[in-house]
Amino acid sequence: MFSFLKKGLKKTVETIHSNAPVKREKIGREDLEDLLLEADVTYDLVETIVESLPETVKRIQLYNTLISLFIYDVEKIEPKGEKPFVELIVGVNGAGKTTTIAKLAQRYKTEGETVMLGASDTFRAAAIEQLKTWAEKLDIPIVYTKQGHDPSAVAYDAISSAKAKGFDHVIIDTAGRLHTQTNLAEELKKIVRVCSKAMPATDHSKPAPHRKILILDGTQGNSAINQAKAFKEMIDIDGIIITKLDGTAKGGALFSIAEELKLPIYYVGVGERAEDLIPFDPKEFVNTILDAIFIEESPDMIPSSGKTHQVDLKALTDAQLARLEELLDNDGFNLLSKHFVSDRATGETYRLNINENADQIEILDKDGSIVRAYRAEELAVNG
């Protein structure tokens, strides 16, 4: 909804600005090639992108080329009635796997759903303790055992317990490194098999785990691609979460990751807070990169819509977002994420909704009733 992603790409945008401090209406192919390489797009992909474009490139031409990299014939798996919806989280140690699990669990909890964690990284005692600490902090139940015990048994027990108690989600952590890659592959395959025994396929759903997500460290840029290929070969992962995007100037690597792996990117991590795990929007991502290169369209280039303001509720500027936060604060609300606010007095969480017909942002309760609304005109500030 709001451009939280812009904050996550700050260092990438700064790198573009340092190499091309003046925005332009068109860019030459050689200059574009340099900017993409600086943002950590792989050389081969840069060549493919540039070869498909004219000598001087307009924004819309580059947008169409870049957005096509995120279009592939792979199902994006979302919960469809499975209860519990079981997710297996994989990735190398240090990628931010455990912290991402906590953020994902917090996200589900904020949406009013129940979550159980399974600490199946029994190779490291520290991993178990870290996940237990997060579970206590978030007040979420966890199934765990001692270091060295069978990780598959933990996964089985977590799913069985969640089924018996009617939980909505199970998130299972796994080891990121064993003595050899073969050992890791065999352990992960066994966990997948045991999950399917704990929750077999039905007429309406496939067996658990229903979604296998790989965590990639955004600061590693393109070097993470080989990791991803290895995990994909091991257990045929279903999608990706990119962490630490705010800590790197290598945001362009997402183009290469998408092109190489052809897997959905579900979320990106853009900060330390639980709310800083945001759904990945390819359009917003591409436009954030292009905003750093091209001159924004002037008002006289924008087709008239009958509106007396230049506020795009789906892509607020930093100043407009600050104005919204100010209005929310005056009314006693805190902005939790791009989708939720909380009432400071009651602690109640409400959903944010863009009503394009009414040209306003609305705070909705669980029944869909409007608690408060902010017209676009109220957010019309410079910036």
Side-chain angles (χ1 to χ4, degrees), residues 272-318:
E272 295 298 322
R273 301 175 306 166
E275 297 81 19
D276 290 331
L277 183 71
I278 63 172
F280 177 69
D281 182 341
K283 293 180 180 178
E284 184 184 0
F285 173 71
V286 172
N287 277 320
T288 300
I289 299 294
L290 297 187
D291 284 345
I293 301 172
F294 293 95
I295 298 171
E296 293 182 0
E297 292 183 333
S298 60
D300 61 348
M301 295 174 63
I302 301 173
S304 174
S305 61
K307 297 178 181 178
T308 59
H309 59 79
Q310 297 297 335
V311 178
D312 181 353
L313 294 177
K314 290 188 175 181
L316 297 182
T317 65
D318 289 343

mmCIF file of all heavy atoms in Angstrom, residues 272-318:
data_model
loop_
_atom_site.group_PDB
_atom_site.id
_atom_site.type_symbol
_atom_site.label_atom_id
_atom_site.label_comp_id
_atom_site.label_asym_id
_atom_site.label_seq_id
_atom_site.Cartn_x
_atom_site.Cartn_y
_atom_site.Cartn_z
ATOM 1 N N GLU A 272 14.452 -4.238 11.109
ATOM 2 C CA GLU A 272 14.566 -5.157 12.237
ATOM 3 C C GLU A 272 13.226 -5.478 12.890
ATOM 4 O O GLU A 272 13.070 -6.512 13.535
ATOM 5 C CB GLU A 272 15.504 -4.557 13.303
ATOM 6 C CG GLU A 272 16.946 -4.395 12.841
ATOM 7 C CD GLU A 272 17.574 -5.730 12.484
ATOM 8 O OE1 GLU A 272 17.307 -6.735 13.178
ATOM 9 O OE2 GLU A 272 18.320 -5.782 11.491
ATOM 10 N N ARG A 273 12.237 -4.596 12.747
ATOM 11 C CA ARG A 273 10.966 -4.787 13.435
ATOM 12 C C ARG A 273 10.166 -5.926 12.811
ATOM 13 O O ARG A 273 10.360 -6.259 11.637
ATOM 14 C CB ARG A 273 10.132 -3.510 13.382
ATOM 15 C CG ARG A 273 10.784 -2.276 13.999
ATOM 16 C CD ARG A 273 9.911 -1.058 13.779
ATOM 17 N NE ARG A 273 9.597 -0.882 12.360
ATOM 18 C CZ ARG A 273 8.658 -0.069 11.895
ATOM 19 N NH1 ARG A 273 7.933 0.634 12.740
ATOM 20 N NH2 ARG A 273 8.436 0.039 10.592
ATOM 21 N N ALA A 274 9.259 -6.499 13.609
ATOM 22 C CA ALA A 274 8.407 -7.568 13.086
ATOM 23 C C ALA A 274 7.589 -7.084 11.898
ATOM 24 O O ALA A 274 7.294 -7.842 10.974
ATOM 25 C CB ALA A 274 7.485 -8.087 14.193
ATOM 26 N N GLU A 275 7.230 -5.784 11.903
ATOM 27 C CA GLU A 275 6.406 -5.221 10.836
ATOM 28 C C GLU A 275 7.203 -4.992 9.556
ATOM 29 O O GLU A 275 6.634 -4.628 8.521
ATOM 30 C CB GLU A 275 5.792 -3.881 11.278
ATOM 31 C CG GLU A 275 4.852 -3.980 12.463
ATOM 32 C CD GLU A 275 5.597 -4.030 13.790
ATOM 33 O OE1 GLU A 275 6.783 -3.627 13.829
ATOM 34 O OE2 GLU A 275 5.000 -4.493 14.781
ATOM 35 N N ASP A 276 8.518 -5.176 9.609
ATOM 36 C CA ASP A 276 9.368 -4.872 8.466
ATOM 37 C C ASP A 276 9.533 -6.047 7.508
ATOM 38 O O ASP A 276 10.414 -6.040 6.645
ATOM 39 C CB ASP A 276 10.743 -4.393 8.934
ATOM 40 C CG ASP A 276 10.683 -3.017 9.571
ATOM 41 O OD1 ASP A 276 9.797 -2.236 9.193
ATOM 42 O OD2 ASP A 276 11.508 -2.729 10.455
ATOM 43 N N LEU A 277 8.703 -7.071 7.653
ATOM 44 C CA LEU A 277 8.612 -8.133 6.649
ATOM 45 C C LEU A 277 7.387 -7.810 5.807
ATOM 46 O O LEU A 277 6.258 -7.914 6.270
ATOM 47 C CB LEU A 277 8.466 -9.501 7.317
ATOM 48 C CG LEU A 277 8.442 -10.701 6.363
ATOM 49 C CD1 LEU A 277 9.828 -10.933 5.756
ATOM 50 C CD2 LEU A 277 7.963 -11.960 7.082
ATOM 51 N N ILE A 278 7.608 -7.381 4.558
ATOM 52 C CA ILE A 278 6.494 -6.892 3.749
ATOM 53 C C ILE A 278 6.317 -7.755 2.503
ATOM 54 O O ILE A 278 7.284 -8.305 1.968
ATOM 55 C CB ILE A 278 6.705 -5.417 3.341
ATOM 56 C CG1 ILE A 278 7.949 -5.258 2.467
ATOM 57 C CG2 ILE A 278 6.790 -4.528 4.568
ATOM 58 C CD1 ILE A 278 8.107 -3.877 1.887
ATOM 59 N N PRO A 279 5.079 -7.902 2.040
ATOM 60 C CA PRO A 279 4.856 -8.647 0.795
ATOM 61 C C PRO A 279 5.617 -7.995 -0.356
ATOM 62 O O PRO A 279 5.655 -6.771 -0.469
ATOM 63 C CB PRO A 279 3.342 -8.542 0.584
ATOM 64 C CG PRO A 279 2.775 -8.250 1.932
ATOM 65 C CD PRO A 279 3.814 -7.425 2.633
ATOM 66 N N PHE A 280 6.217 -8.815 -1.184
ATOM 67 C CA PHE A 280 6.972 -8.280 -2.316
ATOM 68 C C PHE A 280 6.029 -7.953 -3.456
ATOM 69 O O PHE A 280 5.258 -8.798 -3.907
ATOM 70 C CB PHE A 280 8.016 -9.295 -2.780
ATOM 71 C CG PHE A 280 8.793 -8.833 -3.987
ATOM 72 C CD1 PHE A 280 9.678 -7.782 -3.886
ATOM 73 C CD2 PHE A 280 8.620 -9.449 -5.221
ATOM 74 C CE1 PHE A 280 10.396 -7.334 -4.989
ATOM 75 C CE2 PHE A 280 9.332 -9.021 -6.323
ATOM 76 C CZ PHE A 280 10.222 -7.957 -6.213
ATOM 77 N N ASP A 281 6.106 -6.717 -3.921
ATOM 78 C CA ASP A 281 5.295 -6.238 -5.038
ATOM 79 C C ASP A 281 6.245 -5.902 -6.186
ATOM 80 O O ASP A 281 6.952 -4.896 -6.122
ATOM 81 C CB ASP A 281 4.497 -5.003 -4.609
ATOM 82 C CG ASP A 281 3.587 -4.484 -5.715
ATOM 83 O OD1 ASP A 281 3.827 -4.830 -6.889
ATOM 84 O OD2 ASP A 281 2.646 -3.738 -5.410
ATOM 85 N N PRO A 282 6.287 -6.731 -7.241
ATOM 86 C CA PRO A 282 7.229 -6.471 -8.335
ATOM 87 C C PRO A 282 7.053 -5.089 -8.965
ATOM 88 O O PRO A 282 8.045 -4.436 -9.306
ATOM 89 C CB PRO A 282 6.905 -7.575 -9.352
ATOM 90 C CG PRO A 282 6.282 -8.660 -8.551
ATOM 91 C CD PRO A 282 5.532 -7.976 -7.452
ATOM 92 N N LYS A 283 5.818 -4.619 -9.106
ATOM 93 C CA LYS A 283 5.579 -3.308 -9.714
ATOM 94 C C LYS A 283 6.188 -2.202 -8.860
ATOM 95 O O LYS A 283 6.827 -1.281 -9.374
ATOM 96 C CB LYS A 283 4.077 -3.080 -9.900
ATOM 97 C CG LYS A 283 3.432 -4.004 -10.924
ATOM 98 C CD LYS A 283 1.944 -3.726 -11.059
ATOM 99 C CE LYS A 283 1.302 -4.654 -12.078
ATOM 100 N NZ LYS A 283 -0.168 -4.425 -12.184
ATOM 101 N N GLU A 284 5.976 -2.293 -7.547
ATOM 102 C CA GLU A 284 6.538 -1.283 -6.652
ATOM 103 C C GLU A 284 8.061 -1.338 -6.672
ATOM 104 O O GLU A 284 8.743 -0.306 -6.653
ATOM 105 C CB GLU A 284 6.014 -1.490 -5.231
ATOM 106 C CG GLU A 284 6.480 -0.417 -4.250
ATOM 107 C CD GLU A 284 6.026 -0.682 -2.821
ATOM 108 O OE1 GLU A 284 5.339 -1.696 -2.578
ATOM 109 O OE2 GLU A 284 6.387 0.127 -1.946
ATOM 110 N N PHE A 285 8.610 -2.553 -6.716
ATOM 111 C CA PHE A 285 10.056 -2.720 -6.743
ATOM 112 C C PHE A 285 10.657 -2.073 -8.000
ATOM 113 O O PHE A 285 11.603 -1.278 -7.915
ATOM 114 C CB PHE A 285 10.403 -4.211 -6.698
ATOM 115 C CG PHE A 285 11.857 -4.512 -6.896
ATOM 116 C CD1 PHE A 285 12.786 -4.216 -5.916
ATOM 117 C CD2 PHE A 285 12.305 -5.084 -8.078
ATOM 118 C CE1 PHE A 285 14.132 -4.490 -6.091
ATOM 119 C CE2 PHE A 285 13.651 -5.359 -8.274
ATOM 120 C CZ PHE A 285 14.563 -5.060 -7.272
ATOM 121 N N VAL A 286 10.098 -2.397 -9.155
ATOM 122 C CA VAL A 286 10.619 -1.847 -10.411
ATOM 123 C C VAL A 286 10.473 -0.328 -10.422
ATOM 124 O O VAL A 286 11.405 0.395 -10.798
ATOM 125 C CB VAL A 286 9.897 -2.478 -11.617
ATOM 126 C CG1 VAL A 286 10.297 -1.760 -12.915
ATOM 127 C CG2 VAL A 286 10.227 -3.960 -11.720
ATOM 128 N N ASN A 287 9.321 0.174 -10.001
ATOM 129 C CA ASN A 287 9.107 1.628 -10.020
ATOM 130 C C ASN A 287 10.036 2.361 -9.057
ATOM 131 O O ASN A 287 10.451 3.494 -9.330
ATOM 132 C CB ASN A 287 7.646 1.950 -9.710
ATOM 133 C CG ASN A 287 6.755 1.836 -10.937
ATOM 134 O OD1 ASN A 287 7.141 2.235 -12.028
ATOM 135 N ND2 ASN A 287 5.569 1.272 -10.762
ATOM 136 N N THR A 288 10.373 1.744 -7.934
ATOM 137 C CA THR A 288 11.308 2.369 -6.999
ATOM 138 C C THR A 288 12.686 2.526 -7.645
ATOM 139 O O THR A 288 13.348 3.563 -7.484
ATOM 140 C CB THR A 288 11.419 1.539 -5.709
ATOM 141 O OG1 THR A 288 10.131 1.456 -5.087
ATOM 142 C CG2 THR A 288 12.394 2.178 -4.726
ATOM 143 N N ILE A 289 13.114 1.502 -8.380
ATOM 144 C CA ILE A 289 14.388 1.586 -9.098
ATOM 145 C C ILE A 289 14.311 2.668 -10.183
ATOM 146 O O ILE A 289 15.223 3.498 -10.326
ATOM 147 C CB ILE A 289 14.750 0.228 -9.739
ATOM 148 C CG1 ILE A 289 14.906 -0.872 -8.663
ATOM 149 C CG2 ILE A 289 16.018 0.357 -10.578
ATOM 150 C CD1 ILE A 289 16.054 -0.677 -7.718
ATOM 151 N N LEU A 290 13.221 2.694 -10.922
ATOM 152 C CA LEU A 290 13.098 3.647 -12.031
ATOM 153 C C LEU A 290 12.952 5.083 -11.533
ATOM 154 O O LEU A 290 13.391 6.022 -12.206
ATOM 155 C CB LEU A 290 11.903 3.278 -12.910
ATOM 156 C CG LEU A 290 11.976 1.915 -13.610
ATOM 157 C CD1 LEU A 290 10.819 1.752 -14.578
ATOM 158 C CD2 LEU A 290 13.304 1.731 -14.334
ATOM 159 N N ASP A 291 12.356 5.256 -10.354
ATOM 160 C CA ASP A 291 12.227 6.607 -9.784
ATOM 161 C C ASP A 291 13.593 7.239 -9.543
ATOM 162 O O ASP A 291 13.727 8.461 -9.538
ATOM 163 C CB ASP A 291 11.455 6.560 -8.457
ATOM 164 C CG ASP A 291 9.959 6.382 -8.659
ATOM 165 O OD1 ASP A 291 9.474 6.579 -9.788
ATOM 166 O OD2 ASP A 291 9.268 6.033 -7.678
ATOM 167 N N ALA A 292 14.600 6.389 -9.318
ATOM 168 C CA ALA A 292 15.955 6.903 -9.068
ATOM 169 C C ALA A 292 16.655 7.303 -10.357
ATOM 170 O O ALA A 292 17.659 8.016 -10.319
ATOM 171 C CB ALA A 292 16.774 5.848 -8.338
ATOM 172 N N ILE A 293 16.130 6.855 -11.493
ATOM 173 C CA ILE A 293 16.794 7.103 -12.780
ATOM 174 C C ILE A 293 16.099 8.196 -13.582
ATOM 175 O O ILE A 293 16.754 9.061 -14.169
ATOM 176 C CB ILE A 293 16.837 5.796 -13.616
ATOM 177 C CG1 ILE A 293 17.595 4.696 -12.858
ATOM 178 C CG2 ILE A 293 17.456 6.047 -14.986
ATOM 179 C CD1 ILE A 293 17.518 3.335 -13.518
ATOM 180 N N PHE A 294 14.769 8.149 -13.590
ATOM 181 C CA PHE A 294 14.012 8.991 -14.509
ATOM 182 C C PHE A 294 13.342 10.168 -13.806
ATOM 183 O O PHE A 294 12.973 10.085 -12.630
ATOM 184 C CB PHE A 294 12.940 8.158 -15.224
ATOM 185 C CG PHE A 294 13.503 7.128 -16.160
ATOM 186 C CD1 PHE A 294 13.694 5.816 -15.731
ATOM 187 C CD2 PHE A 294 13.849 7.465 -17.455
ATOM 188 C CE1 PHE A 294 14.210 4.860 -16.588
ATOM 189 C CE2 PHE A 294 14.378 6.514 -18.322
ATOM 190 C CZ PHE A 294 14.555 5.210 -17.894
ATOM 191 N N ILE A 295 13.157 11.242 -14.570
ATOM 192 C CA ILE A 295 12.402 12.389 -14.081
ATOM 193 C C ILE A 295 10.950 11.967 -13.905
ATOM 194 O O ILE A 295 10.375 11.333 -14.786
ATOM 195 C CB ILE A 295 12.482 13.558 -15.091
ATOM 196 C CG1 ILE A 295 13.930 14.023 -15.248
ATOM 197 C CG2 ILE A 295 11.574 14.713 -14.666
ATOM 198 C CD1 ILE A 295 14.125 15.022 -16.375
ATOM 199 N N GLU A 296 10.373 12.336 -12.770
ATOM 200 C CA GLU A 296 8.957 12.027 -12.563
ATOM 201 C C GLU A 296 8.118 12.831 -13.537
ATOM 202 O O GLU A 296 8.472 13.948 -13.918
ATOM 203 C CB GLU A 296 8.541 12.350 -11.125
ATOM 204 C CG GLU A 296 9.189 11.455 -10.100
ATOM 205 C CD GLU A 296 8.720 11.768 -8.689
ATOM 206 O OE1 GLU A 296 7.891 12.672 -8.541
ATOM 207 O OE2 GLU A 296 9.196 11.105 -7.773
ATOM 208 N N GLU A 297 7.013 12.273 -13.951
ATOM 209 C CA GLU A 297 6.111 12.982 -14.857
ATOM 210 C C GLU A 297 5.584 14.242 -14.180
ATOM 211 O O GLU A 297 5.179 14.214 -13.020
ATOM 212 C CB GLU A 297 4.937 12.082 -15.252
ATOM 213 C CG GLU A 297 5.323 10.909 -16.129
ATOM 214 C CD GLU A 297 4.119 10.102 -16.536
ATOM 215 O OE1 GLU A 297 3.131 10.105 -15.796
ATOM 216 O OE2 GLU A 297 4.170 9.480 -17.604
ATOM 217 N N SER A 298 5.614 15.333 -14.906
ATOM 218 C CA SER A 298 5.058 16.577 -14.381
ATOM 219 C C SER A 298 3.545 16.532 -14.446
ATOM 220 O O SER A 298 2.984 15.773 -15.238
ATOM 221 C CB SER A 298 5.579 17.765 -15.189
ATOM 222 O OG SER A 298 5.214 17.635 -16.545
ATOM 223 N N PRO A 299 2.841 17.344 -13.629
ATOM 224 C CA PRO A 299 1.387 17.284 -13.592
ATOM 225 C C PRO A 299 0.730 17.445 -14.961
ATOM 226 O O PRO A 299 -0.284 16.821 -15.229
ATOM 227 C CB PRO A 299 1.017 18.442 -12.657
ATOM 228 C CG PRO A 299 2.205 18.582 -11.766
ATOM 229 C CD PRO A 299 3.377 18.265 -12.623
ATOM 230 N N ASP A 300 1.330 18.261 -15.855
ATOM 231 C CA ASP A 300 0.693 18.471 -17.145
ATOM 232 C C ASP A 300 0.857 17.274 -18.077
ATOM 233 O O ASP A 300 0.256 17.218 -19.143
ATOM 234 C CB ASP A 300 1.230 19.730 -17.825
ATOM 235 C CG ASP A 300 2.723 19.657 -18.093
ATOM 236 O OD1 ASP A 300 3.374 18.737 -17.550
ATOM 237 O OD2 ASP A 300 3.220 20.507 -18.821
ATOM 238 N N MET A 301 1.690 16.287 -17.661
ATOM 239 C CA MET A 301 1.826 15.068 -18.444
ATOM 240 C C MET A 301 0.886 13.983 -17.954
ATOM 241 O O MET A 301 0.735 12.951 -18.587
ATOM 242 C CB MET A 301 3.266 14.544 -18.373
ATOM 243 C CG MET A 301 4.289 15.463 -18.999
ATOM 244 S SD MET A 301 5.979 14.870 -18.720
ATOM 245 C CE MET A 301 5.962 13.307 -19.575
ATOM 246 N N ILE A 302 0.251 14.223 -16.816
ATOM 247 C CA ILE A 302 -0.634 13.231 -16.228
ATOM 248 C C ILE A 302 -2.052 13.473 -16.723
ATOM 249 O O ILE A 302 -2.571 14.572 -16.589
ATOM 250 C CB ILE A 302 -0.602 13.296 -14.694
ATOM 251 C CG1 ILE A 302 0.835 13.065 -14.209
ATOM 252 C CG2 ILE A 302 -1.535 12.284 -14.079
ATOM 253 C CD1 ILE A 302 1.021 13.279 -12.734
ATOM 254 N N PRO A 303 -2.694 12.466 -17.299
ATOM 255 C CA PRO A 303 -4.049 12.660 -17.785
ATOM 256 C C PRO A 303 -4.962 13.148 -16.675
ATOM 257 O O PRO A 303 -4.873 12.698 -15.533
ATOM 258 C CB PRO A 303 -4.460 11.249 -18.258
ATOM 259 C CG PRO A 303 -3.174 10.542 -18.514
ATOM 260 C CD PRO A 303 -2.203 11.103 -17.530
ATOM 261 N N SER A 304 -5.841 14.078 -17.026
ATOM 262 C CA SER A 304 -6.758 14.630 -16.034
ATOM 263 C C SER A 304 -7.760 13.586 -15.578
ATOM 264 O O SER A 304 -8.330 12.865 -16.375
ATOM 265 C CB SER A 304 -7.515 15.820 -16.633
ATOM 266 O OG SER A 304 -8.499 16.274 -15.736
ATOM 267 N N SER A 305 -7.972 13.508 -14.263
ATOM 268 C CA SER A 305 -8.937 12.557 -13.701
ATOM 269 C C SER A 305 -10.055 13.279 -12.980
ATOM 270 O O SER A 305 -10.899 12.640 -12.360
ATOM 271 C CB SER A 305 -8.227 11.623 -12.712
ATOM 272 O OG SER A 305 -7.682 12.377 -11.647
ATOM 273 N N GLY A 306 -10.026 14.605 -13.018
ATOM 274 C CA GLY A 306 -11.042 15.366 -12.295
ATOM 275 C C GLY A 306 -10.645 15.621 -10.864
ATOM 276 O O GLY A 306 -11.340 16.318 -10.139
ATOM 277 N N LYS A 307 -9.494 15.085 -10.424
ATOM 278 C CA LYS A 307 -9.052 15.285 -9.049
ATOM 279 C C LYS A 307 -8.293 16.603 -8.939
ATOM 280 O O LYS A 307 -7.658 17.053 -9.883
ATOM 281 C CB LYS A 307 -8.152 14.130 -8.609
ATOM 282 C CG LYS A 307 -8.867 12.777 -8.589
ATOM 283 C CD LYS A 307 -7.913 11.670 -8.206
ATOM 284 C CE LYS A 307 -8.613 10.308 -8.218
ATOM 285 N NZ LYS A 307 -7.692 9.209 -7.897
ATOM 286 N N THR A 308 -8.346 17.177 -7.766
ATOM 287 C CA THR A 308 -7.672 18.455 -7.529
ATOM 288 C C THR A 308 -6.353 18.263 -6.796
ATOM 289 O O THR A 308 -5.806 19.205 -6.264
ATOM 290 C CB THR A 308 -8.587 19.389 -6.715
ATOM 291 O OG1 THR A 308 -8.893 18.744 -5.476
ATOM 292 C CG2 THR A 308 -9.868 19.693 -7.471
ATOM 293 N N HIS A 309 -5.862 17.029 -6.747
ATOM 294 C CA HIS A 309 -4.616 16.743 -6.034
ATOM 295 C C HIS A 309 -3.800 15.756 -6.847
ATOM 296 O O HIS A 309 -4.281 15.208 -7.844
ATOM 297 C CB HIS A 309 -4.925 16.146 -4.649
ATOM 298 C CG HIS A 309 -5.716 14.873 -4.730
ATOM 299 N ND1 HIS A 309 -5.149 13.654 -5.031
ATOM 300 C CD2 HIS A 309 -7.045 14.638 -4.578
ATOM 301 C CE1 HIS A 309 -6.082 12.715 -5.059
ATOM 302 N NE2 HIS A 309 -7.233 13.280 -4.793
ATOM 303 N N GLN A 310 -2.552 15.547 -6.441
ATOM 304 C CA GLN A 310 -1.676 14.581 -7.101
ATOM 305 C C GLN A 310 -1.260 13.514 -6.096
ATOM 306 O O GLN A 310 -0.082 13.274 -5.860
ATOM 307 C CB GLN A 310 -0.445 15.291 -7.683
ATOM 308 C CG GLN A 310 -0.769 16.294 -8.768
ATOM 309 C CD GLN A 310 -1.406 15.658 -9.990
ATOM 310 O OE1 GLN A 310 -1.212 14.476 -10.248
ATOM 311 N NE2 GLN A 310 -2.181 16.421 -10.731
ATOM 312 N N VAL A 311 -2.238 12.886 -5.459
ATOM 313 C CA VAL A 311 -1.969 11.852 -4.462
ATOM 314 C C VAL A 311 -2.355 10.494 -5.036
ATOM 315 O O VAL A 311 -3.522 10.276 -5.391
ATOM 316 C CB VAL A 311 -2.758 12.105 -3.157
ATOM 317 C CG1 VAL A 311 -2.501 10.976 -2.163
ATOM 318 C CG2 VAL A 311 -2.365 13.443 -2.553
ATOM 319 N N ASP A 312 -1.377 9.617 -5.169
ATOM 320 C CA ASP A 312 -1.635 8.238 -5.561
ATOM 321 C C ASP A 312 -1.681 7.418 -4.277
ATOM 322 O O ASP A 312 -0.649 7.152 -3.663
ATOM 323 C CB ASP A 312 -0.531 7.741 -6.491
ATOM 324 C CG ASP A 312 -0.761 6.304 -6.962
ATOM 325 O OD1 ASP A 312 -1.705 5.658 -6.455
ATOM 326 O OD2 ASP A 312 -0.004 5.840 -7.820
ATOM 327 N N LEU A 313 -2.862 7.021 -3.867
ATOM 328 C CA LEU A 313 -3.021 6.334 -2.577
ATOM 329 C C LEU A 313 -2.266 5.010 -2.525
ATOM 330 O O LEU A 313 -1.947 4.523 -1.446
ATOM 331 C CB LEU A 313 -4.498 6.112 -2.278
ATOM 332 C CG LEU A 313 -5.329 7.373 -2.034
ATOM 333 C CD1 LEU A 313 -6.801 7.010 -1.829
ATOM 334 C CD2 LEU A 313 -4.810 8.148 -0.830
ATOM 335 N N LYS A 314 -1.958 4.428 -3.671
ATOM 336 C CA LYS A 314 -1.235 3.151 -3.698
ATOM 337 C C LYS A 314 0.284 3.342 -3.667
ATOM 338 O O LYS A 314 1.024 2.371 -3.537
ATOM 339 C CB LYS A 314 -1.628 2.346 -4.938
ATOM 340 C CG LYS A 314 -3.050 1.806 -4.881
ATOM 341 C CD LYS A 314 -3.314 0.871 -6.044
ATOM 342 C CE LYS A 314 -4.690 0.231 -5.913
ATOM 343 N NZ LYS A 314 -4.964 -0.702 -7.025
ATOM 344 N N ALA A 315 0.740 4.565 -3.802
ATOM 345 C CA ALA A 315 2.186 4.832 -3.797
ATOM 346 C C ALA A 315 2.431 6.207 -3.198
ATOM 347 O O ALA A 315 2.838 7.138 -3.885
ATOM 348 C CB ALA A 315 2.753 4.741 -5.209
ATOM 349 N N LEU A 316 2.174 6.332 -1.894
ATOM 350 C CA LEU A 316 2.379 7.615 -1.225
ATOM 351 C C LEU A 316 3.848 7.987 -1.224
ATOM 352 O O LEU A 316 4.725 7.135 -1.062
ATOM 353 C CB LEU A 316 1.873 7.540 0.218
ATOM 354 C CG LEU A 316 0.374 7.287 0.427
ATOM 355 C CD1 LEU A 316 0.052 7.296 1.914
ATOM 356 C CD2 LEU A 316 -0.481 8.317 -0.293
ATOM 357 N N THR A 317 4.113 9.271 -1.388
ATOM 358 C CA THR A 317 5.484 9.757 -1.229
ATOM 359 C C THR A 317 5.841 9.711 0.252
ATOM 360 O O THR A 317 4.969 9.539 1.121
ATOM 361 C CB THR A 317 5.614 11.197 -1.747
ATOM 362 O OG1 THR A 317 4.820 12.060 -0.912
ATOM 363 C CG2 THR A 317 5.142 11.310 -3.194
ATOM 364 N N ASP A 318 7.123 9.889 0.567
ATOM 365 C CA ASP A 318 7.547 9.901 1.969
ATOM 366 C C ASP A 318 6.817 10.993 2.752
ATOM 367 O O ASP A 318 6.403 10.781 3.893
ATOM 368 C CB ASP A 318 9.058 10.119 2.061
ATOM 369 C CG ASP A 318 9.846 8.907 1.603
ATOM 370 O OD1 ASP A 318 9.246 7.818 1.529
ATOM 371 O OD2 ASP A 318 11.050 9.041 1.320
#
